[in-house]
Amino acid sequence: MNSIFGRINLKNELNSKLFDHGIASLAKHKKVQIQKRTNQRWGFGEVLFFPSQKTETFQNGEFIVLADCRIDNRQEIIDELCVADKNITDELIILETYKKWEEECPVHLLGDFAFAIWNNSTKELFCARDHFGTKPLFYSFNGEDFIFSSEINAILSQSDLDFSIDDQYIADTLSIIKSEKNRTNYNEIKKLPPAHSLLFKMKALEITPYWKLTPQKQLTGNESDILNQFKEILIKSVECRIQPNLKTGAELSGGLDSSSIAAIASRYTKLSTFSHIL
């Protein structure tokens, strides 16, 4: 689990103290590790809440990779790209997919992720958010300064910029009206929608959807075949999210969904379960 933050200035030099303040706003306690790199115009950093993680992924050749992620189809990508290091970090998994498929890379990723890749050669920033938007990613662009972060408070910490309340969004939130998925409490801060990517180059900002849920209108086959297909997909979905080197836990609500997932997961790992007592 990481928190990420970056800023690109097109006109003025980067204020290092202000940038450091943005990074510091992400550190919730003292036992974290901060990685950052800056130059005259840009700065990128992340806060690692598990300092024992490998850190060489942050700066990798001409790329800087920042990610809050858990990649579930690691083995599939490792096999497809013939990656030699089987213990490669999830951040480098993302980078390898970017090198291979460029802006189409999120299509090949399965998991929960919000990431940013800075290409120092082309001066391009590419960001993406997972299919269902489990991991958040916020950004702000006023024509001269582009800022992004996994937490909105880091953007708000940039005191040289002005932010105003989006009254309509707050009113919509308090009612049954659903606002656009890219809006936040602030007019100048947007949220990258789920299943979307962002490309920033100089003054150009492009937001693109890379996936859309398209349910089948009608299932084919008899009831037994349909149930077997569903069971196969469910088992595969749970199995790919079990990482042998990590502890696995499940929250049991008392319903069939969480119980089914826990039962399947227990086949592949020693599972700890938790329940709420009302």
Side-chain angles (χ1 to χ4, degrees):
M1 177 180 175
N2 301 341
S3 291
I4 64 177
F5 175 70
R7 177 164 179 166
I8 302 172
N9 288 5
L10 299 179
K11 185 177 179 180
N12 301 316
E13 290 190 3
L14 183 74
N15 185 320
S16 59
K17 290 185 177 180
L18 199 57
F19 174 79
D20 288 344
H21 186 51
I23 292 290
S25 69
L26 299 174
K28 306 302 182 184
H29 55 83
K30 295 180 179 180
K31 294 182 179 180
V32 297
Q33 181 176 338
I34 295 176
Q35 299 182 136
K36 64 178 181 178
R37 186 183 172 193
T38 63
N39 77 355
Q40 290 184 334
R41 296 291 184 184
W42 51 256
F44 303 104
E46 61 183 0
V47 175
L48 282 68
F49 290 93
F50 299 95
S52 60
Q53 296 177 47
K54 293 182 179 179
T55 59
E56 69 270 15
T57 59
F58 177 73
Q59 175 68 38
N60 190 272
E62 64 186 25
F63 300 99
I64 294 177
V65 185
L66 303 94
D68 181 17
C69 64
R70 190 199 71 245
I71 303 303
D72 295 321
N73 60 334
R74 287 175 47 87
Q75 194 57 52
E76 179 183 329
I77 295 177
I78 286 173
D79 294 340
E80 187 169 0
L81 299 182
C82 300
V83 177
D85 182 8
K86 305 305 180 183
N87 296 318
I88 185 174
T89 63
D90 285 353
E91 291 83 359
L92 280 182
I93 287 282
I94 292 173
L95 179 58
E96 290 301 319
T97 61
Y98 176 75
K99 290 179 179 179
K100 173 69 174 180
W101 293 292
E102 297 181 337
E103 295 169 29
E104 294 297 319
C105 70
V107 178
H108 300 268
L109 296 172
L110 177 65
D112 301 335
F113 55 82
F115 68 83
I117 299 176
W118 171 251
N119 188 329
N120 202 36
S121 297
T122 61
K123 308 303 179 186
E124 292 181 353
L125 180 74
F126 179 76
C127 306
R129 193 172 173 211
D130 61 74
H131 297 68
F132 289 100
T134 304
K135 298 289 187 178
L137 189 63
F138 303 94
Y139 67 93
S140 178
F141 181 48
N142 61 6
E144 295 182 356
D145 307 289
F146 179 81
I147 308 171
F148 69 91
S149 180
S150 54
E151 298 183 33
I152 202 168
N153 59 296
I155 300 178
L156 292 172
S157 73
Q158 304 302 283
S159 57
D160 62 327
L161 304 177
D162 295 322
F163 302 105
S164 59
I165 298 296
D166 185 343
D167 294 326
Q168 186 60 55
Y169 176 81
I170 294 177
D172 292 347
T173 302
L174 296 174
S175 69
I176 60 174
I177 301 174
K178 300 298 182 183
S179 295
E180 297 88 342
K181 292 184 178 180
N182 68 325
R183 290 170 69 177
T184 72
N185 291 336
Y186 302 90
N187 291 300
E188 297 80 10
I189 301 177
K190 303 301 180 183
K191 182 189 297 182
L192 185 64
H196 278 65
S197 63
L198 178 155
L199 180 64
F200 180 75
K201 184 176 182 180
M202 300 303 290
K203 292 186 177 182
L205 177 63
E206 182 180 346
I207 309 293
T208 307
Y210 65 81
W211 178 80
K212 183 179 180 181
L213 180 62
T214 53
Q216 284 184 265
K217 294 183 179 180
Q218 185 174 0
L219 296 174
T220 58
N222 58 47
E223 183 177 354
S224 178
D225 291 338
I226 293 172
L227 289 174
N228 287 331
Q229 290 175 29
F230 175 79
K231 184 178 179 180
E232 182 180 347
I233 293 172
L234 178 60
I235 292 174
K236 183 179 179 181
S237 299
V238 176
E239 181 184 5
C240 78
R241 286 167 171 81
I242 301 297
Q243 297 189 26
N245 59 328
L246 296 178
K247 294 182 179 180
T248 304
E251 181 182 2
L252 298 177
S253 63
L256 290 176
D257 48 0
S258 60
S259 301
S260 299
I261 292 171
I264 296 170
S266 64
R267 300 178 184 179
Y268 307 102
T269 185
K270 185 176 181 181
L271 191 68
S272 297
T273 57
F274 307 87
S275 298
H276 293 291
I277 300 176
L278 301 179

